[in-house]
Amino acid sequence: MTNLTSSVSDYQTQLLQDIFGVENTASIEPRALQIYQDNVLLTAARSLSLTYPVLDKMIGSDALLVLSRRLLKTELPDSGDWADWGSQLHSLLEQSELRSEYPYLQDIARLEWLVSQASRSPATPFVAESLSQLEQPDLSQVFMQLSPSLSLLESEYPVLPMWQAHQNLAKGQELPGSALAAIAEMGRQNNYCVVVQTPVRPDIHSLDAAEFQWLRGITAGLSVSALLDTYPGVDFVKWLSIAIEKHWLLRFC
Amino acid sequence: MFVENLAKPPVAGQPAVGVGLRFEHYQDVLQQASLSVDFLEIHAENFFAESPAITEFLEQVIAKTPLSIHGTSMGLGSAAGVDGQYLKKFANLVNKVNPIYVSEHACFTWGRINNSLVHAGDLLPLRFDKSTLQTLVSNIDRVQQILGRQILIENIVSYHRFKHQEYSEAEFLTQVAEQSGCGLLLDLNNILINLHNHDSGNLAEKARNWLDIIPQNSVGEIHLAGASPVLQGNLLIDDHSQPVSAQCWELFQYANYRFPQAAVLVEWDNDIPQWGVLLGEANKARRIIDNLVEVEAI
C-alpha cells in the first residue's frame, strides 16, 4: 500500500470495524454510525429471510433479526452478494436457546441453505456419451461424477416433510395439528434427502438409507465396481435411470 | 483512462425514461405485451446466480425492452480495491445482458478486518480528498478496462458529515469524471437528502447550485426517488420507499434543463407499489421532459 492511500485505507478500515462492532474507533459521528449499523442488520435479516423462507415462517421475523445480529458477529459478508452470506446459520441455531425446544431447526437451516445454493447453480445435463464407459470390462476403472449442484443431507428428524409442509403456509400461519402429528409419527429415525438443480428449479428428493449411502459412496470416489460390491442391495440399472432423469448424475469417467 | 461517448438514448433526440425492476414486478413485466417505459434497470447482484430460471427471465425481459445494470456492491472507492471474483460475476452479467447503461456508486464497500476480506453490505461514504480521488479513479479505470465500456458513477447519501473536505461533492465527482472518463449518474433525491441532513437555508437553491458545478456533457443518467418523512431534527434515510417527492420533481425540472440528454430512472425499492403506480411516476417524468405540465401541477 502506498503512503498516498494509507490514510484512505485507515479511515475505511476503521469505519468497517465500527459498523461491525469489531472495535470502536469513533470514525464517524454516533447517529450516523447507528444508521449504518441498522442498515446492515436489516439487510442481513432480509437476506436470511430470502435464503431461509421456511425457517422465517417457523421462528418469525423478530427471532430472525436476533439471529442476524448474532451471525454478523461471526460470519462477516465478504462477496458483495448477500445471497452468499448466512451459510453458518445452522451452527448458530445449534448453539442457541431455540435448540432445546426445536432441535430440528438447525437441520431445517442446513436443508434451506442447500436448496438456496442449488437454486443459484446452473443446470448440468447428463453427458450421454459417457455411458460408453460402462462397456469397459473392468468396472473398477469406471467412476461416476455427480452434478456439481448436488448435495446430500442426513438428519435425525423428518426435516424434508416439515420443510414441505411449510411451503404453502403464509408467514405467521402455523401448521395444523394433524399435519404436525403426522410428521411427528415419522419419529426420530434417520432421514435422508438429495438436493440438486434441474433445468426448471431445484429438486429435493427423499432417499432411503441404501440410496443415500450409494450416493455418498460416489462422492467418496468409489468406482462402479466398488459401489456394486459395497452396496449389493442397490439395483444399479434402476438407479441409473432415476439418476439421469433426476439430474443427479453428470457423467461416467 | 477509458474515453467513450456517453451511452446514447434508445429514442434519438429524447432522453430515455425507465424504472427500476424489482422482484415484485417480474410477472407484471412478463405478462405485458409492450412496456410504456424505454428501459428497465436491474440491480446487478440480484442476477449474479447462473440458474436456469434467472437466465430464462433475463432473456424474456431483454426481448421486451433494453436493460441497464446498476451495481450496488462494487465499492469503487475502496482502498482495498474491488474483489476480483465480484468483478468477474459483474462482467459476465454485462456480457450476457448487453445493457444500455452500466452504473455504480461513488462509495466504498470493501476492506479488511483481521486480514480477512469484508464487504460492508452498504454504500459507505468517501472523504472528498485527493487520495480518495486517486483511489476511485484507479478502480473505475480498472473496471472500465475490464468491461470495455464507460460506466456511470452515482452520488450517494452520506449520513456522516466530514468536517474538512478538499472538494465539495460536486467538485469531487467532476474530477472523477474528468480523470477517469466515466460518466455521472446524478441521484437528485440523494442530493436533497444530504442537504436536508447536513445543511440549512434554501435547500432548493443549494441543490441547483450543486447541479451547476457538474459539466453538462458528463451526465448520462438521472435517478428520481422518494424517502420516508422523519421527525424534525432526525436524519432522512435514503429508503426509496415513497413516491418521488415534490422537491425532487422540482429539482428534476431544473436538472432536465441542465442535462437534457440524460436518461431518467424512477427508483422504488421498499414498500413497493403496484406496477401501474410505478409506471405513473415514470409518466410524470416523461411529461416534465415533454414540457406538458408544470411541476406545480403534479
Side-chain angles (χ1 to χ4, degrees):
Chain A
M1 186 179 300
T2 65
N3 288 333
L4 189 61
T5 58
S6 63
S7 63
V8 180
S9 178
D10 288 347
Y11 151 67
Q12 294 185 358
T13 300
Q14 286 169 0
L15 181 50
L16 284 169
Q17 288 175 328
D18 285 342
I19 289 172
F20 289 111
V22 178
E23 283 189 35
N24 184 4
T25 70
S27 56
I28 59 173
E29 55 195 314
R31 68 174 185 170
L33 178 60
Q34 188 64 54
I35 290 173
Y36 290 118
Q37 289 176 328
D38 290 348
N39 280 351
V40 168
L41 177 59
L42 291 174
T43 307
R46 177 172 159 73
S47 170
L48 288 189
S49 74
L50 295 173
T51 304
Y52 299 94
V54 166
L55 193 74
D56 187 25
K57 289 176 186 174
M58 295 175 90
I59 67 175
S61 300
D62 290 345
L64 202 62
L65 189 67
V66 172
L67 291 172
S68 303
R69 182 180 285 112
R70 293 180 188 173
L71 194 57
L72 281 170
K73 299 287 183 194
T74 57
E75 182 185 345
L76 294 177
D78 63 1
S79 79
D81 184 352
W82 277 101
D84 295 330
W85 179 77
S87 66
Q88 296 308 305
L89 184 61
H90 68 93
S91 297
L92 192 64
L93 284 163
E94 193 176 350
Q95 298 154 19
S96 84
E97 59 274 36
L98 290 166
R99 186 184 181 188
S100 59
E101 194 169 355
Y102 310 104
Y104 48 82
L105 285 180
Q106 63 200 60
D107 284 350
I108 293 282
R110 287 167 64 208
L111 174 60
E112 294 217 274
W113 179 257
L114 297 181
V115 173
S116 171
Q117 294 304 293
S119 74
R120 297 171 54 74
S121 301
T124 46
F126 173 65
V127 182
E129 300 79 30
S130 69
L131 276 169
S132 62
Q133 293 287 329
L134 290 176
E135 294 167 8
Q136 287 192 34
D138 183 4
L139 290 181
S140 68
Q141 299 303 312
V142 179
F143 300 85
M144 288 185 279
Q145 187 179 349
L146 298 174
S147 164
S149 69
L150 184 143
S151 301
L152 297 168
L153 179 68
E154 177 182 15
S155 173
E156 294 180 12
Y157 306 94
V159 290
L160 182 54
M162 272 193 257
W163 184 79
Q164 289 168 328
H166 282 82
Q167 286 303 302
N168 296 320
L169 288 186
K171 202 167 178 177
Q173 186 183 0
E174 292 188 356
L175 269 185
S178 57
L180 279 172
I183 293 171
E185 273 184 21
M186 296 175 186
R188 289 184 53 167
Q189 56 189 335
N190 280 341
N191 291 271
Y192 309 97
C193 62
V194 57
V195 181
V196 71
Q197 177 67 296
T198 79
V200 180
R201 63 179 69 84
D203 182 56
I204 306 98
H205 190 76
S206 182
L207 301 171
D208 62 29
E211 291 172 318
F212 178 82
Q213 295 302 338
W214 173 273
L215 281 168
R216 182 165 273 181
I218 296 173
T219 60
L222 294 185
S223 67
V224 172
S225 174
L227 285 163
L228 291 170
D229 290 344
T230 310
Y231 308 107
V234 173
D235 182 337
F236 179 51
V237 175
K238 184 179 172 188
W239 178 86
L240 183 58
S241 172
I242 294 171
I244 294 173
E245 178 194 338
K246 291 196 165 297
H247 307 278
W248 297 346
L249 188 59
L250 178 63
R251 64 163 67 221
F252 288 96
C253 48
Chain B
M1 183 163 119
F2 196 93
V3 180
E4 184 188 279
N5 289 332
L6 287 172
K8 297 292 187 295
V11 181
Q14 277 194 315
V17 177
V19 296
L21 176 59
R22 303 294 171 260
F23 175 79
E24 289 80 352
H25 295 143
Y26 285 2
Q27 289 308 313
D28 294 291
V29 168
L30 293 181
Q31 287 166 8
Q32 294 199 339
S34 64
L35 299 173
S36 61
V37 289
D38 300 319
F39 70 104
L40 298 171
E41 185 171 271
I42 59 173
H43 283 175
E45 297 77 10
N46 293 343
F47 295 88
F48 275 179
E50 297 181 78
S51 69
I54 282 183
T55 301
E56 183 183 356
F57 175 75
L58 283 175
E59 287 172 356
Q60 289 179 322
V61 176
I62 291 168
K64 288 175 177 288
T65 188
L67 291 180
S68 68
I69 292 179
H70 190 48
T72 64
S73 295
M74 197 179 284
L76 286 160
S78 302
V82 179
D83 178 58
Q85 283 297 110
Y86 174 92
L87 267 184
K88 187 177 174 186
K89 293 177 186 174
F90 196 99
N92 285 343
L93 181 66
V94 170
N95 290 334
K96 188 189 291 186
V97 169
N98 189 23
I100 54 171
Y101 310 108
V102 176
S103 55
E104 250 293 350
H105 300 86
C107 69
F108 82 92
T109 57
W110 303 97
R112 289 196 170 272
I113 295 181
N114 299 329
N115 289 323
S116 294
L117 183 69
V118 174
H119 190 275
D122 200 353
L123 311 175
L124 299 182
L126 300 175
R127 298 187 311 200
F128 300 138
D129 56 29
K130 290 185 178 66
S131 298
T132 305
L133 177 64
Q134 181 177 320
T135 300
L136 181 55
V137 166
S138 172
N139 287 334
I140 290 172
D141 187 51
R142 176 182 171 218
V143 170
Q144 290 186 142
Q145 295 295 344
I146 288 172
L147 298 182
R149 60 183 291 164
Q150 184 190 49
I151 63 175
L152 306 176
I153 299 301
E154 178 181 352
N155 57 300
I156 68 162
V157 164
S158 171
Y159 300 107
H160 175 69
R161 181 176 190 179
F162 297 93
K163 288 178 181 168
H164 306 292
Q165 301 269 47
E166 294 176 23
Y167 304 97
S168 71
E169 183 178 32
E171 291 167 345
F172 183 80
L173 291 171
T174 298
Q175 286 297 313
V176 171
E178 287 181 358
Q179 294 186 29
S180 73
C182 75
L184 296 179
L185 190 171
L186 302 185
D187 188 312
L188 304 187
N189 189 51
N190 289 353
I191 296 171
L192 291 166
I193 288 179
N194 281 336
L195 288 169
H196 172 275
N197 287 345
H198 305 306
D199 219 317
S200 59
N202 187 336
L203 299 186
E205 182 181 346
K206 290 185 176 181
R208 289 193 295 273
N209 292 341
W210 194 109
L211 295 180
D212 286 339
I213 296 170
I214 303 292
Q216 285 188 301
N217 62 358
S218 67
V219 179
E221 187 176 343
I222 291 171
H223 274 183
L224 306 173
S228 298
V230 292
L231 296 173
Q232 191 169 10
N234 287 357
L235 295 178
L236 268 175
I237 307 294
D238 179 32
D239 60 6
H240 293 183
S241 67
Q242 300 289 317
V244 178
S245 67
Q247 297 94 322
C248 195
W249 284 124
E250 186 180 334
L251 186 59
F252 173 57
Q253 191 174 45
Y254 184 72
N256 182 53
Y257 163 76
R258 281 270 300 144
F259 314 107
Q261 288 301 309
V264 182
L265 182 103
V266 177
E267 290 185 301
W268 202 323
D269 296 323
N270 292 297
D271 296 332
I272 291 178
Q274 297 290 313
W275 176 239
V277 174
L278 184 60
L279 292 182
E281 294 288 274
N283 286 337
K284 285 183 188 177
R286 172 63 70 198
R287 285 152 62 196
I288 289 173
I289 291 167
D290 293 343
N291 291 318
L292 293 181
V293 292
E294 294 295 322
V295 168
E296 291 77 7
I298 291 175

